[in-house]
Amino acid sequence: MNQSIYTRTDTETPRGVVRLKAGGGFRYNTESMRMEIFFRGLVNSWGHQFDEYGHSFLTDGAGFKGIAYTFPGAAFWPTPGARRVLELISPGNYPKFASKEIVYGDSFPKDWQGSIVTCDFRANRVTRFSLVEQGSGFVTQQEDDLLRTAAATFRPIDIKQGPDGALYIADWSNPIINHGEVDFRDARRDRWHGRIWRVSWKGAKKRQRQDLAKLGTRQLLNSLGSNDRYVRDQARRVLFERKQQTAAALGQWLRGIPHHAEQARLNALWIHQGLNQRNDALLNGLLNAKNANIRAAAVRVLSDWSDPQTDLPDRIADKQSASLFRLAIDDEHPRVRLEAIRGVAKLGDANAAEIALASLNRESDRFLDYGLWLAVNELADPLMKTLESGKSGLTGKQLEFALASVEASRAGKYLSQRLKKQPISTDGKGPWIELIGKAGGREELQALFQQAAQGKLNATATARALNSLTDAQRLRRLRPAGGTTGIGSLLNARNEAVKIAAIKLSGTWKLAGQVKSLTAFADQGLTPAVRGAAITALAQTGGSPAAAALEQLTKSTDLGVARHASLALAGLGVNRAAKPFYAVLAKSQNEDHALTMWRGFLGNRNGGKALTAAYPGGLRKDIARAGLRAAREGGRNEPALVAALSMDAGVTIKPEELTPARVAEMIKRANEDGHPGRGESVYRRTELGCVLCHAIGGVGGKVGPDLVSLGASAPKDYIIESMFKPNAKIKEGYHSVIVETKDEFEYSGVEVSDTSKELVLRTAANQVVRIAKNNISSKRNGMSLMPSGLMDVMSEQDRLDLIRFLSALGTPGNYDAAQGGVARVYQILAGTHRVEQASGKDIISGKLTKGWKPLTALVSGAVPGHFLRGMTQQPRHISLVNVYLRTQVEAAKDGNVTLAVTGPTKADLWIDGTPVKGEREFTTHVKAGKHTVLVRLDAKVLPSQVRLKSRELSFATE
């Protein structure tokens, strides 16, 4: 049973109340009424299906991450309070998927066996993924769509393999699918019709439906060996309904199955499991099966039969199961080890933890690492008690992993004991430095600070130590027991990382005695990182000397320093900072810089009032427009400032009345006169900020909803209302949160995560802000982060073009970002003569890191020629030789892949620095995993557009 993030479950069972306050899935035995949480998270876990070995795969009807592979105890985003979550197995970003089926049988082609078929109800399609094993887990590769239509009423929401082998698709058949955004009484909602589509393979042999309920019990047991999913699953269901007959026939049937028929014997084991009958001989045999997936499945049964909460009348004894788990932990296949890690944790003692940690003796991967992290946290209490008593045999990487995994507060006592006997090594090896920051007391913090100040740690470890001390003060309000003697030498360190860490620590500790040094760092010819850290530290230190220093820095000839100082000064008093702010603002080089300044100042409590009182009038039009955007976004209410800015921005204060007649007129004109290509250009304008807030197919900001299939899922009047009235109907999950802090700052953003120590927000500027819980004075719900009045600064034609573009998203054609196989995110480099001569080899090898600029392709994946020319334009005296495009790809498995560069007559291509032969099409062998692709274009014959495509690879979206 699955539930969404908006569901709350409190179920009373004979074993107690089971509670789940967010998304997740349950495992429930209808006879014993045993209920347990199988996984946590996902926004709307709409699909859960098993492969032939019992592995679980999930889809999310409201997320954008594709397919999930889950195992007992796994948690996915968003799980409230989760310290760590498991990432999904689909590289890139995908639309929302409803339901799923994993197909098996002769009714499907050979290359379809084990494929996941799922429904994208928003984009009117049914799509397919191949499933590829990757370490202890899996990765998916998107294949061609099974069904795709431009019909807005095709809304596939469920799919199942039927008794005749065909796929049956439940079609909601509705033009309106939105929830709160479109009125439930909307006359366009179809409340009466629906369709079920039958899809079959022309190459399949015709098959008659079989009534399994009429088969004998032995015939049903034989049907478990069918390669057809429906027959296998439904035969098992009927066998469980015939509990007594099945139990009587099972033993004799099993004796007729040879030991090498491992899949059949696994089916027999599952029948025993479903009947709550132990069969140790069968289990032990399958724990040693040749097929690793069958060994893994057997370990899952061992886990169930060893669980203290098992439904068995007599569970496997701890000593026996521990011995079996110990063998599985050392299995050569990582998936067997993963199942053993999750199973042994159910034993609940320190010995179980040590068995699980023994898995570190073999190679790990992200699934194993996460599974072990779960196990250690589930066993934290007995494990830490054993460590504190000195009876544990854990050492080296096992000990370090355990201590780095558990809640820091739980490791505090052991940490104190350990550090008294064994100080931190010079290189800072192990988790000790970070643990002190998270869990150490004042004495441990003092010892760490003294080691750093006295030069007993190398530069890397010193920087880590200072950052750890900063975290201790920021998150726990805890600083060393002794004084701060020695901070001066650290502030003057030659190593930049140490210097910056010391500056941050000085600010966090509010060391007024260091104001002079910090001021000097801010105004010296040091790197921007050092100067920025010094300015921030001055603001944190506070007091009159720091404020005076910042006010003087606002007059710096370095515009970056002046901007930063003016915003830092606002943190010490908005009224004092308002005039210096306007003086610096007037020097803004562009609207983007101005917007950053407006947002920074308005993030201070009462910042809007101070700016209104000091408003000088006569601001440049672009600066005023940036201010207008900042004053309206995030649910801010600054009517006086908006009125003043509107005059300088040249826009009307009174928004246009959005009557039904006006909406109908815009729809008609957009259909007739709007152009989606021009609309995409409007969408990409920096001053509107659409790209900064919204993603399309995962490419772009994460502040607002992904617009990947907006046009296929939402009627045009909803799109228009969202553009003109962003606060009228806010999509679920995208209401802003307004947080006020004790140090007079105000943050507005969408909540990313909320732990016991930190609240993490994503602001309207698409920046992630971490706020210590102990610094929050109030928290309240806000409105949409999208500013109202954005349309006021646009011409009527721009509005019509934007409406056409947004309404085309997700429909078949050039605006369908749901289709993968094309690169949409690059870095671009101008290959001048100087670059080619000095760093040509470094470009190809990937060593060159400077000079690259981010580049986002159009939704279609095309990079227009004017993008290439505009981003690589050079002064007349500098000659441009080549243009380089770089992007990241991921291969699901080892094998040959083909990349096509369309547009130019010739291109050169490298993968991970190795050249691949070809001119426009390039085929080579790659290993599973992530790779860097580099394309070189001749600058003298740049094409009108260029695309990089591949059917076998997944392209990065950020």
Side-chain angles (χ1 to χ4, degrees):
M1 300 182 295
N2 291 3
Q3 73 178 37
S4 81
I5 191 174
Y6 307 108
T7 308
R8 302 290 183 270
T9 292
D10 297 275
T11 302
E12 187 171 351
T13 76
R15 291 175 169 85
V17 179
V18 177
R19 305 182 192 276
L20 183 59
K21 306 296 185 183
F26 302 92
R27 183 177 177 222
Y28 181 63
N29 187 317
T30 56
E31 292 187 0
S32 67
M33 291 187 285
R34 177 192 176 196
M35 186 176 186
E36 62 181 327
I37 298 171
F38 184 69
F39 72 91
R40 300 174 189 270
L42 300 185
V43 181
N44 189 354
S45 47
W46 202 329
H48 187 172
Q49 188 55 285
F50 311 91
D51 71 1
E52 60 186 328
Y53 302 109
H55 303 125
S56 288
F57 300 90
L58 309 168
T59 50
D60 191 341
F64 290 94
K65 297 294 185 180
I67 313 294
Y69 162 56
T70 191
F71 43 81
F76 304 93
W77 178 88
T79 298
R83 292 167 45 227
R84 185 176 174 186
V85 294
L86 183 63
E87 293 298 320
L88 274 60
I89 61 172
S90 299
N93 277 59
Y94 295 89
K96 305 175 179 186
F97 292 138
S99 75
K100 70 144 59 73
E101 183 65 292
I102 303 178
V103 297
Y104 292 102
D106 295 336
S107 299
F108 302 93
K110 185 177 180 180
D111 61 340
W112 273 60
Q113 300 305 306
S115 290
I116 293 175
V117 185
T118 184
C119 301
D120 180 0
F121 62 99
R122 291 170 59 92
N124 319 117
R125 66 173 183 156
V126 179
T127 192
R128 180 171 74 95
F129 289 85
S130 294
L131 203 56
V132 181
E133 294 193 27
Q134 188 179 79
S136 61
F138 300 84
V139 66
T140 62
Q141 179 174 310
Q142 189 172 21
E143 306 291 350
D144 291 337
D145 289 341
L146 172 62
L147 290 175
R148 185 67 190 271
T149 177
T153 58
F154 180 59
R155 305 296 183 188
I157 56 171
D158 201 1
I159 184 166
K160 284 286 179 278
Q161 189 170 332
D164 59 351
L167 285 172
Y168 287 82
I169 301 164
D171 175 8
W172 186 19
S173 188
N174 205 317
I176 304 293
I177 66 168
N178 305 82
H179 306 306
E181 299 93 336
V182 177
D183 198 309
F184 282 106
R185 296 177 180 82
D186 193 301
R188 291 168 296 181
R189 289 188 184 274
D190 187 340
R191 302 177 186 276
W192 311 108
H193 299 94
R195 297 173 287 201
I196 296 178
W197 300 89
R198 178 182 180 274
V199 181
S200 62
W201 175 40
K202 290 182 179 180
K205 294 181 180 179
K206 194 168 183 179
R207 189 176 87 200
Q208 294 298 319
R209 175 180 175 179
Q210 190 176 28
D211 189 346
L212 295 172
K214 293 181 179 179
L215 296 182
T217 300
R218 188 174 183 84
Q219 289 176 296
L220 287 169
L221 288 168
N222 288 333
S223 296
L224 295 176
S226 171
N227 66 358
D228 186 274
R229 145 142 261 141
Y230 179 88
V231 172
R232 198 166 60 222
D233 290 352
Q234 299 307 315
R236 187 181 297 115
R237 182 181 65 82
V238 178
L239 285 167
F240 286 142
E241 290 175 356
R242 299 180 186 177
K243 185 173 182 180
Q244 292 182 346
Q245 298 98 309
T246 301
L250 184 58
Q252 183 179 358
W253 177 76
L254 181 58
R255 284 192 289 274
I257 300 176
H259 283 278
H260 66 266
E262 294 178 343
Q263 186 72 54
R265 297 182 73 81
L266 175 61
N267 280 302
L269 182 66
W270 282 338
I271 296 296
H272 275 286
Q273 184 183 21
L275 297 175
N276 292 327
Q277 293 180 347
R278 269 177 62 184
N279 187 329
D280 289 10
L282 178 58
L283 173 63
N284 290 334
L286 291 174
L287 287 172
N288 292 287
K290 290 183 178 180
N291 186 322
N293 280 304
I294 290 178
R295 295 200 302 275
V299 174
R300 179 80 65 93
V301 177
L302 169 65
S303 170
D304 194 38
W305 287 354
S306 304
D307 189 344
Q309 298 294 318
T310 185
D311 293 317
L312 289 174
D314 60 328
R315 74 184 184 97
I316 298 177
D318 286 355
K319 187 174 182 180
Q320 179 185 353
S321 59
S323 177
L324 293 172
F325 280 126
R326 195 180 295 277
L327 291 173
I329 285 288
D330 194 40
D331 193 279
E332 64 181 13
H333 198 283
R335 193 165 303 119
V336 180
R337 302 200 296 272
L338 176 60
E339 290 291 344
I341 288 168
R342 298 306 301 127
V344 74
K346 293 184 178 180
L347 301 185
D349 55 24
N351 182 50
E354 296 195 10
I355 293 173
L357 286 162
S359 65
L360 293 172
N361 293 329
R362 284 186 175 268
E363 188 176 353
S364 187
D365 58 38
R366 70 182 181 98
F367 303 99
L368 281 165
D369 187 81
Y370 179 73
L372 183 57
W373 182 88
L374 286 174
V376 168
N377 277 279
E378 291 163 356
L379 300 167
D381 282 345
L383 174 61
M384 293 312 303
K385 287 178 182 176
T386 304
L387 282 170
E388 290 160 6
S389 69
K391 297 178 180 178
S392 173
L394 288 181
T395 58
K397 58 185 177 182
Q398 282 90 357
L399 176 62
E400 292 176 6
F401 186 97
L403 293 173
S405 298
V406 300
E407 281 273 12
S409 57
R410 190 67 190 80
K413 183 178 178 181
Y414 175 79
L415 179 65
S416 178
Q417 295 173 355
R418 160 93 184 200
L419 293 174
K420 287 177 182 177
K421 299 177 183 177
Q422 190 173 343
I424 297 170
S425 61
T426 303
D427 61 3
K429 185 181 178 182
W432 312 110
I433 289 176
E434 285 70 26
L435 276 173
I436 291 173
K438 293 175 182 177
R442 297 186 67 203
E443 288 72 21
E444 287 77 40
L445 293 171
Q446 177 66 15
L448 180 61
F449 178 62
Q450 289 303 317
Q451 269 193 273
Q454 294 170 11
K456 295 181 179 179
L457 299 174
N458 65 23
T460 301
T462 298
R464 285 172 54 203
L466 299 179
N467 289 329
S468 185
L469 291 164
T470 297
D471 286 341
Q473 175 66 34
R474 188 176 69 87
L475 298 175
R476 299 194 290 138
R477 301 285 185 187
L478 206 62
R479 61 194 295 175
T484 60
T485 302
I487 190 70
S489 62
L490 293 165
L491 285 168
N492 291 303
R494 291 184 178 181
N495 182 277
E496 184 172 292
V498 173
K499 192 180 196 71
I500 291 174
I503 289 171
K504 290 179 178 178
L505 181 59
S506 178
T508 304
W509 280 351
K510 301 184 183 301
L511 301 180
Q514 300 299 331
V515 167
K516 186 175 180 180
S517 295
L518 294 175
T519 305
F521 295 148
D523 206 26
Q524 287 178 355
L526 301 175
T527 65
V530 174
R531 301 173 81 177
I535 292 170
T536 300
L538 283 170
Q540 290 175 315
T541 302
S544 296
L550 287 171
E551 191 165 6
Q552 187 61 35
L553 287 169
T554 64
K555 302 172 185 176
S556 172
T557 55
D558 186 313
L559 193 54
V561 170
R563 276 200 302 263
H564 195 163
S566 68
L567 297 179
L569 180 61
L572 301 182
V574 289
N575 293 319
R576 179 177 185 172
K579 286 186 178 180
F581 168 83
Y582 279 121
V584 177
L585 182 66
K587 303 174 186 176
S588 293
Q589 296 167 324
N590 54 54
E591 191 168 333
D592 201 31
H593 287 160
L595 180 60
T596 299
M597 289 194 66
W598 284 110
R599 281 172 170 161
F601 199 102
L602 289 170
N604 295 276
R605 197 175 302 170
N606 297 319
K609 293 179 181 178
L611 290 178
T612 303
Y615 193 78
L619 294 183
R620 264 186 11 227
K621 195 171 185 177
D622 60 331
I623 292 176
R625 286 189 175 185
L628 197 57
R629 175 183 172 87
R632 284 171 162 173
E633 68 188 5
R636 289 195 178 94
N637 184 22
E638 306 288 354
L641 182 60
V642 167
L645 286 166
S646 296
M647 294 181 65
D648 287 336
V651 299
T652 177
I653 301 174
K654 185 179 179 181
E656 179 179 2
E657 186 177 356
L658 203 64
T659 64
R662 173 62 174 142
V663 171
E665 178 196 2
M666 281 193 281
I667 292 174
K668 181 176 182 297
R669 290 194 60 198
N671 289 338
E672 294 173 351
D673 304 326
H675 190 282
R678 293 196 304 261
E680 184 168 8
S681 297
V682 174
Y683 176 87
R684 293 172 66 102
R685 287 180 186 169
T686 303
E687 63 269 23
L688 292 180
C690 302
V691 174
L692 194 65
C693 290
H694 293 281
I696 300 177
V699 177
K702 305 295 187 290
V703 178
D706 194 306
L707 305 179
V708 59
S709 50
L710 179 67
S713 62
K716 287 187 178 69
D717 53 347
Y718 160 62
I719 295 173
I720 291 171
E721 184 181 47
S722 298
M723 291 165 58
F724 282 83
K725 295 182 177 181
N727 290 310
K729 297 183 182 76
I730 304 173
K731 188 164 185 63
E732 68 272 14
Y734 289 97
H735 286 78
S736 66
V737 175
I738 299 173
V739 177
E740 293 186 1
T741 62
K742 295 174 183 176
D743 51 5
E744 298 294 311
F745 282 94
E746 183 177 284
Y747 298 97
S748 178
V750 174
E751 192 172 300
V752 175
S753 66
D754 188 356
T755 68
S756 60
K757 293 289 192 339
E758 279 186 323
L759 175 67
V760 182
L761 302 180
R762 188 180 292 276
T763 71
N766 202 31
Q767 295 174 338
V768 174
V769 176
R770 299 181 177 275
I771 309 169
K773 283 288 190 71
N774 56 37
N775 191 35
I776 295 176
S777 59
S778 70
K779 174 186 173 185
R780 66 184 188 275
N781 290 330
M783 301 297 285
S784 170
L785 286 179
M786 179 176 170
S788 58
L790 271 182
M791 300 301 107
D792 297 347
V793 299
M794 292 172 55
S795 69
E796 180 72 357
Q797 186 61 55
D798 283 349
R799 295 174 183 177
L800 299 178
D801 291 338
L802 183 58
I803 293 167
R804 278 288 285 119
F805 168 65
L806 294 176
S807 61
L809 289 174
T811 60
N814 285 334
Y815 305 99
D816 182 14
Q819 293 295 328
V822 61
R824 293 187 173 93
V825 174
Y826 295 94
Q827 289 177 305
I828 187 170
L829 177 71
T832 63
H833 271 300
R834 182 166 52 90
V835 170
E836 294 286 344
Q837 292 170 2
S839 308
K841 292 182 179 179
D842 290 341
I843 296 171
I844 296 167
S845 67
K847 293 180 181 179
L848 185 67
T849 57
K850 294 182 179 180
W852 292 95
K853 300 176 184 178
L855 168 65
T856 302
L858 300 178
V859 172
S860 65
V863 180
H866 67 270
F867 282 23
L868 301 173
R869 288 185 287 274
M871 297 194 70
T872 56
Q873 191 171 10
Q874 302 293 315
R876 289 185 177 181
H877 66 281
I878 297 178
S879 177
L880 184 64
V881 180
N882 293 307
V883 171
Y884 293 89
L885 293 173
R886 182 169 69 181
T887 191
Q888 300 293 314
V889 298
E890 184 166 351
K893 57 185 177 181
D894 295 358
N896 286 339
V897 299
T898 298
L899 294 105
V901 181
T902 64
T905 55
K906 182 181 182 302
D908 299 306
L909 185 142
W910 292 260
I911 296 181
D912 298 330
T914 300
V916 183
K917 291 182 179 180
E919 293 189 350
R920 285 181 295 180
E921 192 168 281
F922 307 85
T923 300
T924 188
H925 187 276
V926 298
K927 294 284 188 182
K930 296 182 178 180
H931 304 276
T932 299
V933 176
L934 180 71
V935 176
R936 182 169 66 190
L937 305 172
D938 187 341
K940 297 181 182 62
V941 285
L942 287 177
S944 59
Q945 64 177 28
V946 61
R947 279 188 182 91
L948 176 62
K949 302 188 295 184
S950 175
R951 290 176 56 86
E952 300 90 1
L953 297 169
S954 298
F955 290 90
T957 57
E958 57 184 341

